[in-house]
């Protein structure tokens, strides 16, 4: 079971999805799964996602059968997440390479008081 599940919903995200996924794969904290929820993209997003999936076993791709929009697509990803911690990002976001490391550190050292 991965420590962190990252949900990445996308719809026609071909313009930026390469950079977004690369920034996730280049994290200093490597114990994560990436769940990409493709919301019926009609551009080249599906083929780009498949090429990433073939490169890294931490990537799971879910393709909605119909366009569900952002909130429902996030719910799809969250239902499949297996990580202890959940986070999400957009297909046009670039994460700092230490994003997950800092996130996990804060979550594991914060007091619930």
């Amino acid at each position: 079971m991965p420590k962190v599940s990252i949900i990445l919903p996308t719809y026609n995200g071909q313009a930026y999805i390469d950079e977004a996924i690369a920034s996730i794969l280049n994290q200093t904290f490597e114990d994560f799964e990436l769940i990409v929820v493709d919301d019926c993209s009609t551009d080249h997003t599906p083929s780009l996602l498949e090429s990433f999936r073939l490169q890294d076993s931490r990537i799971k791709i879910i393709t909605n059968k119909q366009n569900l929009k952002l909130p429902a697509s996030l719910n799809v990803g969250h239902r499949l997440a297996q990580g202890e911690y959940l986070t999400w990002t957009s297909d046009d976001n670039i994460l700092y390479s230490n994003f997950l490391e800092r996130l996990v550190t804060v979550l594991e050292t914060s007091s619930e008081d």
Side-chain angles (χ1 to χ4, degrees):
M1 174 188 303
K3 181 65 108 174
V4 179
S5 294
I6 305 166
I7 315 304
L8 193 164
T10 187
Y11 174 74
N12 290 345
Q14 74 179 18
Y16 304 108
I17 196 119
D18 283 353
E19 292 175 89
I21 293 176
S23 76
I24 294 166
L25 297 179
N26 289 325
Q27 291 293 300
T28 56
F29 185 89
E30 298 179 344
D31 187 11
F32 66 85
E33 67 178 345
L34 172 59
I35 301 171
V36 182
V37 181
D38 182 8
D39 201 17
C40 300
S41 293
T42 58
D43 63 359
H44 295 291
T45 298
S47 60
L48 295 171
L49 295 176
E50 181 63 14
S51 68
F52 274 108
R53 187 191 65 76
L54 293 172
Q55 293 174 35
D56 198 307
S57 63
R58 297 173 295 180
I59 299 174
K60 297 173 180 65
I61 301 168
I62 308 304
T63 303
N64 292 339
K65 293 187 187 324
Q66 64 184 27
N67 187 271
L68 300 177
K69 307 294 185 213
L70 180 62
S73 291
L74 283 169
N75 288 339
V76 167
H78 279 90
R79 278 194 296 275
L80 297 170
Q82 297 181 345
E84 181 178 347
Y85 303 119
L86 307 179
T87 189
W88 76 281
T89 189
S90 297
D91 59 10
D92 60 352
N93 282 351
I94 308 250
L95 301 181
Y96 287 111
S97 62
N98 65 346
F99 169 76
L100 290 179
E101 182 178 352
R102 293 181 69 190
L103 178 73
V104 170
T105 298
V106 167
L107 290 172
E108 293 190 340
T109 59
S110 294
S111 170
E112 291 188 24
D113 297 341

